[in-house]
Amino acid sequence: MSKRKILFKDITNDSPETVSTVFSKAYKLDSFNTCPNKDHKNLESNPWCVHGLGQEKWLDDSVEVPDEDEQDHFTIRPKYLGRYSGLRNLGATCYVNSLAQILYFNDHFRETIYQYTPLSDETGCVIRSLQQLLVNLEHSARGVIDTTALVSALQLPFTEQQDVVEFRELLFGMLTNSIPSIQDSCKGAGSYVMRCLTCSNITTRTSDFTDLKLQIEPKSQSLVGRNVERIQQLSAVEILEGENSYHCSQCNALRKVERCYMINKYPHTLHL
């Protein structure tokens, strides 16, 4: 019986500390020290020598990263540079990618999806695919993440463009059946206020919202800087008359009214 087998045979009933010590002696791990010389190639006899393995490239902030157009689906993402992964467009699935990227940056949504244990039904398949996609966006080293699993689970055609707002309602409608709290972080409340111009009667209709639809000017120079102004425009007063006249409960007839929208409660995460 070899010396190593004798050593392991003798430590079967010993403490973990003894096992560790004997293991190190059996494989001579206690006889090696960190290689002090950085001017030579790796030492085959020293497992602690890491010089020449290429670690200096991962620690070098000056490494150039190719443009996204030059990267293929197997491009490695240098996470140490703080870059994010992109999503592969399967043909006309950019609306799926846009929503997935927005939801990824919603911490509450991401953590809620992570913590859910999917069932084996159709919705469970969608949630499992979504979990995989979000995990890849957060931890994968690839420059481009494939979305085939999610798009296939949702039974969406690869070559048919859809409206992203309608797709969002479809997705959340499906997710809410299994995870009722999935929209808590992006749920707000607002009211339509109508004032009859005949009798001055005021009617209020309050409802929850999960996103706000803003008017974007054609060829707008700034899609971000004017968002506050666009939100304020939601409360602008408009006149409803003619075919758009509102039924006044006090007059019991269609009347010309003023209408405006008021946000009563902003959500923790606002989707625009």
Side-chain angles (χ1 to χ4, degrees):
M1 183 178 293
S2 67
K3 182 179 179 180
R4 290 181 181 177
K5 290 184 178 179
I6 294 175
L7 285 171
F8 284 118
K9 180 179 179 181
D10 294 337
I11 64 175
T12 52
N13 296 321
D14 290 340
S15 65
E17 292 77 9
T18 303
V19 174
S20 177
T21 301
V22 175
F23 183 86
S24 296
K25 290 182 178 180
Y27 287 96
K28 299 182 180 181
L29 298 180
D30 58 340
S31 63
F32 294 110
N33 296 316
T34 302
C35 181
N37 191 350
K38 299 182 180 181
D39 298 328
H40 54 68
K41 297 181 180 180
N42 292 338
L43 293 177
E44 296 181 356
S45 61
N46 188 349
W48 301 110
C49 180
V50 296
H51 177 70
L53 294 180
Q55 74 280 4
E56 67 278 356
K57 293 183 180 180
W58 292 92
L59 300 176
D60 186 4
D61 291 339
S62 64
V63 176
E64 294 185 0
V65 179
D67 295 334
E68 297 294 336
D69 294 338
E70 300 176 4
Q71 297 181 357
D72 57 24
H73 303 318
F74 300 97
T75 298
I76 299 303
R77 168 176 55 146
K79 298 173 66 175
Y80 61 91
L81 289 182
R83 293 176 63 89
Y84 296 105
S85 294
L87 294 176
R88 180 186 177 192
N89 190 344
L90 305 179
T93 57
C94 53
Y95 65 97
V96 177
N97 296 357
S98 297
L99 182 61
Q101 289 169 332
I102 291 175
L103 296 179
Y104 167 74
F105 286 101
N106 185 331
D107 294 341
H108 176 270
F109 177 87
R110 193 169 67 245
E111 293 302 322
T112 302
I113 290 293
Y114 285 167
Q115 295 172 12
Y116 182 75
T117 302
L119 302 178
S120 57
D121 56 3
E122 181 179 347
T123 303
C125 181
V126 172
I127 296 177
R128 190 176 299 108
S129 301
L130 186 57
Q131 288 175 333
Q132 180 181 2
L133 179 62
L134 295 176
V135 167
N136 285 336
L137 282 173
E138 186 170 4
H139 299 291
S140 175
R142 296 193 181 279
V144 178
I145 306 301
D146 194 358
T147 59
T148 301
L150 177 62
V151 175
S152 299
L154 290 167
Q155 301 181 15
L156 299 172
F158 289 3
T159 58
E160 183 178 333
Q161 179 71 33
Q162 298 190 29
D163 182 76
V164 66
V165 176
E166 294 179 357
F167 170 64
R168 181 188 182 282
E169 294 176 354
L170 169 68
L171 178 62
F172 273 92
M174 178 181 294
L175 296 177
T176 303
N177 293 330
S178 299
I179 314 176
S181 62
I182 193 65
Q183 297 195 86
D184 285 356
S185 67
C186 54
K187 181 180 293 185
S191 301
Y192 277 106
V193 181
M194 280 76 65
R195 186 177 72 90
C196 178
L197 297 181
T198 300
C199 67
S200 298
N201 179 52
I202 296 178
T203 304
T204 302
R205 291 188 303 163
T206 302
S207 60
D208 295 333
F209 66 84
T210 54
D211 57 40
L212 292 178
K213 301 174 180 60
L214 305 182
Q215 294 292 332
I216 305 298
E217 303 81 359
K219 300 181 180 180
S220 176
Q221 297 298 322
S222 174
L223 296 180
V224 179
R226 298 188 59 191
N227 278 342
V228 173
E229 180 181 340
R230 295 184 181 109
I231 293 175
Q232 293 173 343
Q233 290 176 354
L234 291 175
S235 59
V237 177
E238 59 178 335
I239 303 296
L240 301 182
E241 58 182 337
E243 295 181 353
N244 297 321
S245 297
Y246 182 77
H247 185 273
C248 176
S249 57
Q250 185 164 313
C251 297
N252 194 26
L254 293 175
R255 297 299 189 194
K256 180 180 179 180
V257 300
E258 290 180 341
R259 185 180 75 166
C260 68
Y261 185 77
M262 299 179 60
I263 298 178
N264 304 327
K265 176 186 176 183
Y266 279 96
H268 178 270
T269 303
L270 179 60
H271 290 174
L272 301 176

